[in-house]
Amino acid sequence: MIIEPKMRGFICLTSHPKGCEQNVVNQINYVKSKGAIDGPKKVLVIGASTGFGLASRITSAFGSNASTIGVFFEKPPQPGKPGSPGWYNTAAFEKQAKQAGLYAKSINGDAFSNEVKQKTIDLIKADLGQIDLVIYSLASPVRTNPKTGITHRSVLKPIGNSFTNKTVDFHTGIVSNITIEPCTPEDIENTVAVMGGEDWDLWIEELKKENLLAPNAITVAYSYIGPALTEAVYRKGTIGRAKDHLESTAATITDKLKDIGGKAYVSVNKALVTQASSAIPVIPLYISLLYKVMKAEGIHEGCIEQIQRLFQARLYTGSAVPTDAEGRIRIDDLEMREDVQSKVAELWKQADTDTLPNIGDLKGYKNDFLNLFGFSVDKVDYLVDVNENVDIEGLV
Ligand code: NAI
């Protein structure tokens, strides 16, 4: 079939298998171009099919020849109906891994559930024995707690006061003011239950109990801080509370891993266009200004550049992992540079519907958004029929 982008709000309802494949191949080539990393050999990535998790899987496999198991929640294709991009990304990743002689298997299901945890445990026992790196990269709006059966929904709201600021509809380029009403105490609890560290802790507890973590194993989850401009809706909002919880969970997990010499880290990453970040008000305007400044400075990075650097320059250097005073790894260092932030703050004041096409990188934002779904990717001929029914070879 011929597949075209079908937009609805913050999401695209279709995705293109060839475009997704090309994106994965480009990421693999990038990692290979940066040379071998003396990194992990057996890796579990939870949230492995898109964004930072996919980049982590690719960096593990093609940077340090690791065997990988990927867990994700994606929609398989049906005849005449494309699957979700993470499905096609994983199919492409596994094809490339197999060609390179690398072990790669995948589990598609709800990572918050006991069933998927058990399935993963069984697979590790059968195939890999022990894991030396667990990446936790879930971004989800909803979680059913397996212990209580309660379904929690996360919200993106400020705490205490309503918040008014500019935002952009990146499809139309229209900049307008948005007011977001403050959350309720339950909103905070629910957002922490979904995006905080409880599930990360559960995963590591289960893996440890089953003796599936190798000596000195590490686990890494991803967080975000960002500037004052976005803090009311991000770091000091409901999602920020969840990130606070995730970050403090690293210490709890490290305690539990002491006897095997293991450690849990949180890496604070850069703001990037992913399916998760596009849904947060205000952030797309910030990202389009940030991209403009970082590209002009020659310091722009995407998910793969960020994660390749995380592995090569932070986690696997052969010496101690550098962290900030709170124990977090920082690969948002370039985004948070003072000169970058002061330029973005200046542009923010000027941003409106008329100025944004010049002062911001709205074009880059839109292009990255389309790329997430395999569209607008160089070297892909969108006029050629493609088979939407792509299998993931190592799906368990
Ligand atoms: P994403 O939306 O690209 O990826 C999310 C992944 O989680 C996908 O593989 C998806 O299949 C999987 N997933 C979602 N719900 C699931 C479930 N119930 N069971 C199994 N898998 C499930 O997200 P992105 O942006 O890569 O986010 C990953 C982490 O990085 C999040 O913690 C996010 O807060 C953090 N982060 C994101 C930044 C950004 O600007 N995008 C910046 C800094 C950190």
Side-chain angles (χ1 to χ4, degrees):
M1 68 188 286
I2 302 281
I3 308 175
E4 289 175 348
K6 232 189 249 167
M7 296 294 173
R8 188 171 300 159
F10 302 119
I11 53 161
C12 179
L13 298 177
T14 50
S15 66
H16 199 281
K18 289 285 168 209
C20 290
E21 183 171 15
Q22 188 62 48
N23 280 336
V24 168
V25 168
N26 293 346
Q27 293 194 42
I28 291 172
N29 289 340
Y30 175 79
V31 168
K32 284 186 182 164
S33 79
K34 300 303 267 186
I37 300 167
D38 190 9
K41 292 292 165 244
K42 293 176 183 178
V43 179
L44 169 64
V45 183
I46 303 157
S49 53
T50 56
F52 285 113
L54 174 65
S56 307
R57 192 175 193 187
I58 291 174
T59 304
S60 301
F62 291 92
S64 98
N65 277 321
S67 302
T68 59
I69 292 176
V71 178
F72 47 79
F73 210 2
E74 300 292 343
K75 203 164 43 88
Q78 289 166 13
K81 212 168 165 220
S84 54
W87 180 274
Y88 293 133
N89 291 341
T90 303
F93 169 83
E94 288 209 2
K95 186 172 138 191
Q96 297 292 327
K98 202 168 176 208
Q99 274 171 19
L102 294 167
Y103 171 99
K105 286 198 180 167
S106 300
I107 292 170
N108 187 29
D110 181 5
F112 298 128
S113 69
N114 290 334
E115 293 72 25
V116 164
K117 288 187 177 74
Q118 190 56 50
K119 211 171 170 183
T120 310
I121 284 167
D122 294 343
L123 183 59
I124 298 171
K125 276 186 186 165
D127 289 4
L128 297 183
Q130 284 187 323
I131 295 290
D132 49 18
L133 171 66
V134 180
I135 295 286
Y136 188 83
S137 186
L138 295 182
S140 171
V142 55
R143 169 177 173 236
T144 300
N145 183 325
K147 288 184 176 163
T148 61
I150 296 172
T151 298
H152 302 275
R153 282 173 206 287
S154 66
V155 299
L156 296 158
K157 288 187 179 177
I159 297 172
N161 300 308
S162 66
F163 171 64
T164 301
N165 212 327
K166 296 179 199 180
T167 193
V168 65
D169 176 333
F170 57 87
H171 296 301
T172 61
I174 293 174
V175 177
S176 60
N177 267 335
I178 181 171
T179 297
I180 313 168
E181 294 307 325
C183 66
T184 63
E186 295 76 49
D187 285 336
I188 301 177
E189 272 172 41
N190 283 322
T191 307
V192 170
V194 180
M195 288 297 286
E198 191 181 12
D199 181 62
W200 183 26
D201 192 22
L202 278 176
W203 268 99
I204 301 300
E205 211 170 81
E206 291 296 318
L207 293 168
K208 171 96 192 312
K209 205 168 72 193
E210 300 286 343
N211 194 25
L212 300 180
L213 296 176
N216 306 317
I218 62 172
T219 180
V220 185
Y222 298 138
S223 188
Y224 182 66
I225 296 177
L229 274 173
T230 60
E231 71 182 11
V233 71
Y234 199 95
R235 194 63 208 209
K236 291 190 176 161
T238 47
I239 181 75
R241 287 293 173 88
K243 290 303 184 191
D244 289 345
H245 187 268
L246 184 82
E247 290 173 15
S248 65
T249 303
T252 314
I253 295 177
T254 293
D255 260 359
K256 293 182 183 170
L257 297 182
K258 271 211 172 96
D259 57 329
I260 59 159
K263 198 159 167 45
Y265 293 100
V266 162
S267 171
V268 182
N269 301 353
K270 169 186 191 258
L272 278 171
V273 180
T274 64
Q275 291 181 65
S277 67
S278 317
I280 310 177
V282 185
I283 299 281
L285 179 59
Y286 167 70
I287 291 184
S288 50
L289 299 174
L290 179 74
Y291 273 26
K292 184 83 171 184
V293 173
M294 292 188 82
K295 284 180 184 175
E297 294 286 325
I299 53 171
H300 176 69
E301 293 175 310
C303 286
I304 197 67
E305 289 85 359
Q306 279 266 291
I307 299 301
Q308 197 281 336
R309 192 155 68 88
L310 170 67
F311 277 52
Q312 200 165 47
R314 300 284 192 274
L315 288 173
Y316 298 104
T317 60
S319 16
V321 176
T323 59
D324 66 11
E326 280 77 37
R328 303 172 295 205
I329 300 172
R330 304 298 295 263
I331 47 166
D332 64 340
D333 48 347
L334 303 175
E335 169 182 357
M336 298 311 284
R337 244 169 53 179
E338 222 174 282
D339 59 322
V340 171
Q341 283 303 324
S342 68
K343 281 182 190 149
V344 173
E346 196 44 49
L347 293 174
W348 186 272
K349 289 184 209 152
Q350 301 164 24
D352 61 29
T353 306
D354 294 333
T355 58
L356 189 62
N358 291 322
I359 66 167
D361 186 25
L362 198 57
K363 215 170 131 209
Y365 192 104
K366 275 190 194 172
N367 201 59
D368 278 11
F369 185 78
L370 284 169
N371 282 177
L372 296 176
F373 301 89
F375 296 109
S376 192
V377 178
D378 283 349
K379 297 190 220 157
V380 177
D381 186 349
Y382 292 97
L383 300 174
V384 171
D385 252 344
V386 279
N387 178 10
E388 71 282 15
N389 288 307
V390 178
D391 287 333
I392 297 175
E393 274 186 57
L395 196 67
V396 177

